[in-house]
Amino acid sequence: AKNSSDIRTFEDRRVKVHRLLGLIIEPQEWSNFLHGIMSLHLGLEAIEIWRFTETPYNVPMLIDTHAHLDFPDFENDLEDVLRRAEQADVKRIITIGTSIQSSRRAIALAETYPDVFAAIGVHPSHVEDAEDDVITPLRQLAQNPRVVAIGETGLDYHHLPSETVAKEEQVQVMTALRSETDEEIEAQIREGACKSKQASLFQQQLDLAVELGLNVVIHQRDAWEDTLEVLRPYAGKVRGVFHCFGGSL
């Protein structure tokens, strides 16, 4: 039976979540928040709190906040993957979209499996192949109740055109003193365009998250300072998780 001690324990944990997130949530909004919190990483302490979100009376509950279940890797054994997750006490999984098509697949999986939820977005590594307008379809997809976050979005400078050319040149050219090649100059031009498009789509998806009141899943690789610059105007407006992260405050 649920006694007063159990309820006080859950309420204490609810207040603790509030303090961790800096949120004030009305009691009637708490059930909605339980699903939104799944898209946040707050460290091991928060994972312990997550165990009590939807099953507050000491029933363990783990949540995998970042999976790509629509990837071909899982095409042949998805049912086994989900079964193993259940056996390991992973009670919820958020599968993350990396493009419009991937986001649609994420939602389809979330609609098929009751313990799977979806995040929708365009990954920075996919911006060169992205449609001119990704926000209109993302806004439409976000109306699905199985969607709990926007992303995976952010900045990724690890595989820029100039980096690829530089690695090729290191193999082909052994001298340390040489002028820039035409390939390097062209790569630098394409790099600037790629960075600009990444930043634009990042900002657009952050705006969408603010508009819809959803959390964000942020990918950042070799782009820490630029990522901070993009995020600064959104301080206090949006919350989320850094999935790929390298940097220091």
Side-chain angles (χ1 to χ4, degrees), residues 80-98:
D80 290 337
V81 169
L82 295 177
R83 183 170 61 253
R84 291 196 298 270
E86 172 65 24
Q87 292 170 349
D89 286 330
V90 178
K91 303 300 186 183
R92 299 286 187 272
I93 299 175
I94 301 178
T95 186
I96 313 293
T98 56

Side-chain angles (χ1 to χ4, degrees), residues 126-154:
H126 294 178
V127 298
E128 293 193 54
D129 300 322
E131 299 85 344
D132 290 336
D133 177 15
V134 301
I135 297 304
T136 298
L138 285 178
R139 182 181 288 110
Q140 294 171 346
L141 292 174
Q143 302 309 308
N144 190 297
R146 304 297 293 177
V147 172
V148 295
I150 299 296
E152 181 171 359
T153 182

Side-chain angles (χ1 to χ4, degrees), residues 208-219:
L208 183 62
V210 172
E211 172 190 331
L212 301 177
L214 291 173
N215 298 307
V216 290
V217 180
I218 300 172
H219 175 102

Side-chain angles (χ1 to χ4, degrees), residues 1-228:
K2 301 180 180 67
N3 56 44
S4 59
S5 176
D6 292 328
I7 295 174
R8 281 197 302 272
T9 298
F10 179 52
E11 287 302 310
D12 289 343
R13 290 178 179 273
R14 184 162 74 94
V15 170
K16 194 174 184 182
V17 172
H18 288 182
R19 289 173 178 170
L20 280 169
L21 298 178
L23 295 175
I24 298 177
I25 302 174
E26 296 300 325
Q28 63 268 26
E29 298 174 349
W30 180 244
S31 61
N32 294 330
F33 173 69
L34 297 178
H35 294 288
I37 194 177
M38 292 190 300
S39 62
L40 296 173
H41 275 310
L42 292 173
L44 294 177
E45 184 177 20
I47 289 175
E48 291 301 316
I49 294 172
W50 276 337
R51 292 173 179 268
F52 289 81
T53 54
E54 287 194 354
T55 53
Y57 300 103
N58 297 327
V59 179
M61 184 179 192
L62 294 175
I63 300 166
D64 183 344
T65 66
H66 200 108
H68 292 287
L69 298 179
D70 71 302
F71 279 16
D73 312 62
F74 303 106
E75 185 175 357
N76 297 322
D77 65 345
L78 179 59
E79 298 287 344
D80 290 337
V81 169
L82 295 177
R83 183 170 61 253
R84 291 196 298 270
E86 172 65 24
Q87 292 170 349
D89 286 330
V90 178
K91 303 300 186 183
R92 299 286 187 272
I93 299 175
I94 301 178
T95 186
I96 313 293
T98 56
S99 66
I100 299 301
Q101 294 77 13
S102 174
S103 296
R104 291 192 176 106
R105 293 194 298 269
I107 290 175
L109 288 168
E111 291 178 329
T112 302
Y113 301 100
D115 294 335
V116 175
F117 293 82
I120 58 170
V122 177
H123 190 286
S125 296
H126 294 178
V127 298
E128 293 193 54
D129 300 322
E131 299 85 344
D132 290 336
D133 177 15
V134 301
I135 297 304
T136 298
L138 285 178
R139 182 181 288 110
Q140 294 171 346
L141 292 174
Q143 302 309 308
N144 190 297
R146 304 297 293 177
V147 172
V148 295
I150 299 296
E152 181 171 359
T153 182
L155 302 178
D156 190 324
Y157 294 170
H158 189 70
H159 295 295
L160 291 172
S162 65
E163 295 294 330
T164 302
V165 170
K167 291 175 183 177
E168 293 173 352
E169 291 291 337
Q170 287 173 7
V171 175
Q172 298 172 10
V173 181
M174 301 305 294
T175 178
L177 297 175
R178 59 181 174 79
S179 60
E180 289 183 320
T181 65
D182 292 341
E183 289 82 2
E184 287 175 317
I185 295 173
E186 181 182 350
Q188 289 172 6
I189 294 173
R190 288 192 290 123
E191 175 178 304
C194 181
K195 285 183 175 181
S196 177
K197 189 169 184 180
Q198 283 192 24
S200 176
L201 285 184
F202 188 17
Q203 290 172 321
Q204 290 178 53
Q205 290 176 86
L206 289 171
D207 287 339
L208 183 62
V210 172
E211 172 190 331
L212 301 177
L214 291 173
N215 298 307
V216 290
V217 180
I218 300 172
H219 175 102
Q220 182 280 132
R221 191 175 186 189
D222 298 342
W224 179 231
E225 294 300 328
D226 287 354
T227 301
L228 284 183

